[in-house]
Amino acid sequence: MTDTVDKAQAASVPPEQIKAIPVRHYGRWVAGAVVVALVALIGVAFSNAKINYSIIPDYVFDSGIVNGAWTTLYISVLAMVLGVVLGIVLAVMRLSSNPVTSTVSWFYIWFFRGTPVLVQLLLWYNISLVFPILNLGFYKNEMTQVMTPVLTALLGLGLNEAAYMSEIVRAGIQSVDEGQTEASHALGMTQGQTLRRVILPQAMRVIVPPTGNEFINMLKTSSLAYAVQLPELIKKATDISSTSLAVVEMYFVACIWYLLLTTVFSIVQYYVERRYARGTTRNLPATPLQKIRTNLTKMNMLSLSSWRR
Amino acid sequence: MNAMVKAEGVHKSFGPAHILKGIDLEVSPREVFCLIGPSGSGKSTFLRCINHLEKINAGRLYVDGTLVGYRQSGDKLYELKEREVAAQRRGIGMVFQRFNLFPHMTALENVMEAPVQVKRESKAVARERAQRLLDRVGLGDKTGHYPSQLSGGQQQRVAIARALAMEPKLMLFDEPTSALDPELVGEVLDVMRDLAQDGMTMIVVTHEMGFAREVGDSLVFMDDGVVVESGHPREVLTNPQHERTKSFLSKVL
């Protein structure tokens, strides 16, 4: 009894804080200096290069470039949508117990992951060699008429993406604990309900980050559609450079747009990931906006309190 | 009276591993039926066969007079379609050792899910019942919490409420307190005791001998895929007849 009383008394007296001399990290200073020197060196080299930087701002909002950026954006979005939808189908096929569907899915992934996208794009571009005439019964036309650059790029990029997406979706589905399926079945839910209501929402947490990565990759991979005459950013930059004779400068302009697009989608991805983190962390981290808001109110309170004094 | 669960010579193998080697037993309505035995004795597997999470290889298993997982026509057995199996499971609630709550849904949403999706109940009706069930298991103030924000004992009580939301005629408990801290076991057993007093038919795989003795109406000791001994819990636990039962009980009591 007396022991516990002593402890209680001891707790009311704050313990002496440790005051020690912190460890010096000399290595960090050296490494920092080396990195700064290297960055400066590269900066100086680029600024002395035979590149006419002053004309870059003139072309950032050039109508051709803006059109190209818009084409890059929409072809990437459409190809990604095609890739995600077909990817989910392929993943479910791959995991199905039907040997025919799972083998077909395996073969699809093997082929489309194993050959270069550029070749796939060129194959769609020349598909009229295989099917000279498209005949859907209600619609008949020359294949060369049907395969516009947009459709060629969409098929080439989307079907390739589906192979990657299916592996991402499959990993996501398989990451969900088997107990979830059992609990869902035990409640009388069917396989479809289980997949839709229980498995996929949890798989999303695993699926979203690499999908964001895939999309950012897609924005840049779509530049290969230049080879099939799609008027996207790189094609437009090349076209302009042939008249303005500023080749590297035009590619820099394109890079500004690529960086802009990828930055915007990185932010979107952050919020989507946050949405699917529900239930996995006890407290969701504050969004940057929320952080700014709380900091602002704190500052307001401080300034107000000092003001009143 | 018709048996709620009736097993006749039930066998189950996983590949070469013969888990259940001919189980015969009957569970009456309103009975609390406890299954005990060492791990690997097949008690959990048997429980999972009752709602067809596992397919049996031989024998017959009936719940409320209906064959589980199959339809008999003459002397031929037909496997039930997925939808029909799901329909059979609606009347059987199951509680798992590791809770298996849906982590992306709140406690309330967990309890509402099956009535809304399976029974096509309106959300308002399902929500009202879910609230009532969570009140009943003592978690009326935790409806908005996600499973990760609840203790193990609270999660298991939500899981019981979730199973009860389908208004089952039979409840299966698969070692419901084995994954819990000793301090939290009591709150889950209290809920189960309350359920037993209400007349729910329950099959409980457990290591809680105190619960079996106090609440159980009958008890079966299983070992190596067979029923070794059965009877009233107090008799089996205090005066085991079989050597194997004696040695098991001497280790766990």
Side-chain angles (χ1 to χ4, degrees), chain A residues 2-232:
Chain A
T2 51
D3 190 38
T4 54
V5 173
D6 284 351
K7 268 184 192 159
Q9 276 173 344
S12 65
V13 181
E16 194 192 341
Q17 297 291 310
I18 291 177
K19 291 192 189 88
I21 293 141
V23 176
R24 307 281 181 214
H25 297 280
Y26 300 108
R28 287 184 193 171
W29 286 99
V30 174
V34 169
V35 169
V36 167
L38 277 175
V39 171
L41 218 64
I42 293 169
V44 168
F46 265 85
S47 62
N48 290 335
K50 287 178 193 147
I51 295 171
N52 185 6
Y53 290 106
S54 59
I55 73 158
I56 290 179
D58 303 341
Y59 284 94
V60 170
F61 293 107
D62 179 274
S63 66
I65 291 286
V66 173
N67 270 331
W70 168 242
T71 306
T72 290
L73 180 64
Y74 85 69
I75 207 73
S76 299
V77 170
L78 290 181
M80 200 64 200
V81 169
L82 178 64
V84 169
V85 172
L86 192 57
I88 292 174
V89 173
L90 283 166
V92 173
M93 278 170 73
R94 183 78 199 278
L95 293 170
S96 113
S97 43
N98 183 338
V100 177
T101 59
S102 79
T103 309
V104 167
S105 172
W106 182 89
F107 188 79
Y108 182 99
I109 295 162
W110 173 78
F111 179 79
F112 281 91
R113 281 203 312 182
T115 55
V117 199
L118 184 57
V119 176
Q120 289 170 28
L121 280 165
L122 292 172
L123 203 67
W124 287 109
Y125 196 54
N126 294 301
I127 197 71
S128 60
L129 298 177
V130 189
F131 304 104
I133 286 163
L134 179 69
N135 190 349
L136 297 174
F138 58 90
Y139 177 87
K140 193 175 172 188
N141 203 345
E142 295 272 325
M143 192 56 106
T144 46
Q145 296 289 310
V146 178
M147 289 304 277
T148 59
V150 169
L151 188 59
T152 308
L154 182 62
L155 285 174
L157 296 169
L159 296 189
N160 181 264
E161 187 53 41
Y164 287 92
M165 278 311 302
S166 82
E167 289 293 275
I168 290 170
V169 173
R170 183 170 69 95
I173 289 174
Q174 286 179 331
S175 76
V176 179
D177 182 45
E178 227 179 310
Q180 294 290 313
T181 311
E182 284 182 358
S184 173
H185 284 170
L187 286 167
M189 288 165 80
T190 59
Q191 190 61 46
Q193 285 172 327
T194 303
L195 189 71
R196 201 160 40 79
R197 299 285 309 172
V198 178
I199 307 296
L200 281 180
Q202 292 182 64
M204 285 307 277
R205 199 170 49 84
V206 175
I207 292 172
V208 167
T211 303
N213 211 20
E214 286 296 311
F215 182 74
I216 283 171
N217 244 328
M218 175 66 82
L219 281 170
K220 294 167 299 164
T221 309
S222 66
S223 62
L224 288 176
Y226 156 58
V228 295
Q229 303 304 316
L230 183 75
E232 47 71 59

Side-chain angles (χ1 to χ4, degrees), chain B residues 61-100:
Chain B
L61 198 50
Y62 301 90
V63 171
D64 207 9
T66 335
L67 201 56
V68 174
Y70 302 93
R71 181 162 38 85
Q72 188 150 18
S73 168
D75 54 355
K76 273 191 185 154
L77 274 188
Y78 296 90
E79 261 187 50
L80 289 185
K81 291 191 195 101
E82 194 210 334
R83 213 158 263 289
E84 297 167 317
V85 174
Q88 281 192 340
R89 285 178 181 142
R90 280 174 214 177
I92 308 171
M94 186 158 190
V95 175
F96 300 85
Q97 182 179 352
R98 302 221 42 89
F99 329 135
N100 296 347

